[in-house]
Amino acid sequence: MIIAVIPARGGSKRIPGKNTKMFCGKPIIQYAIDAAANAGVFDRIIVSTDSEEIAQVAQRCGAEVPFMRPPELSDDHTTTVPVIRHAVECLTTPEDPVEFACCVYATAPFVSSEDVQRGLELLRKNRTADYAFPITTFPFPIFRSLRFEQGRVEMFYPEHQSTRSQDLPEAWHDAGQFYWGTRCAWTTGKGIFSSVSLGIPVSRHRVQDIDTAEDWLRAELMYEALMRLPRA
């Protein structure tokens, strides 16, 4: 069995109601559910939540909510891997064990079904890998980054004070959209960011982390601009 798990706990503090807030005309969680459904690779698409309100919205958007997430996995300090491990263990049966599980974030409106498909293909071709997830480049060399404290600036890497930007190595970061993993990787608690994880390069214009109201506004503007681009 291959499953999509969308973590969506209640109680967001910085953006109240974040996981079901309307984003460009529909609940933001619907983008994750639609991308998973359109990928056509999942036997089940489930939402892991501790909120009855989120559960109802998720079901209206086409996802299953076969269980409610326990309180010990619903606080501010719970990380992704334990949440997906719990879902995998809840859904696995001797007759139909979970082979691959994909964590799709509820607030990732730029996630594409094609990238989801690519992630599964990568894991199937690279049997020594634990995870596969989208990555993108930093828009500015991280080795020229600055620390800003009490009005003063200081380089994190002063040894590169005179290094030309074009001579510095390109750096990538997690796109924060989804993570494919094997059953073993999730259930044994392996870290996602390791040398046995696979990257799926995506364009920067399809990546926006949404943690604050400013992030939300920027994401909506980016999404609206993206929708105006001519289709190939």
Side-chain angles (χ1 to χ4, degrees):
M1 178 166 53
I2 300 176
I3 63 171
V5 183
I6 301 171
R9 72 179 182 87
S12 174
K13 296 179 176 63
R14 286 181 290 186
I15 303 178
K18 174 181 175 179
N19 289 315
T20 55
K21 182 179 171 70
M22 297 299 287
F23 181 95
C24 293
K26 58 185 180 181
I28 196 166
I29 196 172
Q30 187 172 348
Y31 293 88
I33 295 170
D34 289 348
N38 292 334
V41 298
F42 296 108
D43 298 299
R44 299 180 71 176
I45 299 169
I46 74 121
V47 168
S48 170
T49 185
D50 61 332
S51 163
E52 291 288 351
E53 179 182 355
I54 293 174
Q56 292 173 12
V57 173
Q59 288 169 329
R60 288 199 299 268
C61 291
E64 297 181 56
V65 186
F67 55 79
M68 298 301 290
R69 195 193 307 178
E72 62 270 21
L73 291 177
S74 302
D75 60 27
D76 291 337
H77 305 290
T78 302
T79 57
T80 296
V81 173
V83 172
I84 308 306
R85 178 175 59 210
H86 171 259
V88 169
E89 291 173 347
C90 283
L91 298 179
T92 288
T93 66
E95 299 78 21
D96 195 10
V98 171
E99 181 184 9
F100 297 104
C102 185
C103 167
V104 186
Y105 280 158
T107 54
F110 298 98
V111 63
S112 81
S113 54
E114 292 80 11
D115 289 338
V116 172
Q117 292 168 345
R118 289 167 60 199
L120 179 58
E121 290 170 5
L122 279 175
L123 268 191
R124 281 178 161 162
K125 290 177 181 177
N126 297 269
R127 287 296 185 167
T128 59
D130 290 331
Y131 298 102
F133 56 91
I135 58 173
T136 196
T137 55
F138 282 95
F140 188 84
I142 62 171
F143 297 100
R144 299 295 299 276
S145 58
L146 304 173
R147 179 184 289 110
F148 182 60
E149 294 178 353
Q150 298 179 341
R152 296 179 179 270
V153 297
E154 179 183 359
M155 290 191 74
F156 278 100
Y157 305 97
E159 65 271 24
H160 291 297
Q161 173 86 18
S162 301
T163 307
R164 298 186 309 167
S165 296
Q166 59 265 42
D167 294 331
L168 293 169
E170 190 169 48
W172 298 71
H173 65 87
D174 169 24
Q177 295 178 349
F178 66 84
Y179 309 97
W180 273 107
T182 64
R183 178 181 70 248
C184 179
W186 291 121
T187 58
T188 58
K190 292 185 178 181
I192 294 175
F193 307 118
S194 76
S195 60
V196 288
S197 293
L198 305 170
I200 307 164
V202 299
S203 301
R204 285 201 299 266
H205 69 266
R206 290 202 297 109
V207 176
Q208 174 62 47
D209 197 29
I210 302 179
D211 284 324
T212 66
E214 182 182 6
D215 294 339
W216 190 283
L217 175 60
R218 178 181 176 84
E220 285 195 309
L221 293 172
M222 288 171 59
Y223 187 85
E224 290 168 351
L226 190 62
M227 292 299 100
R228 288 196 295 269
L229 291 176
R231 300 301 177 108

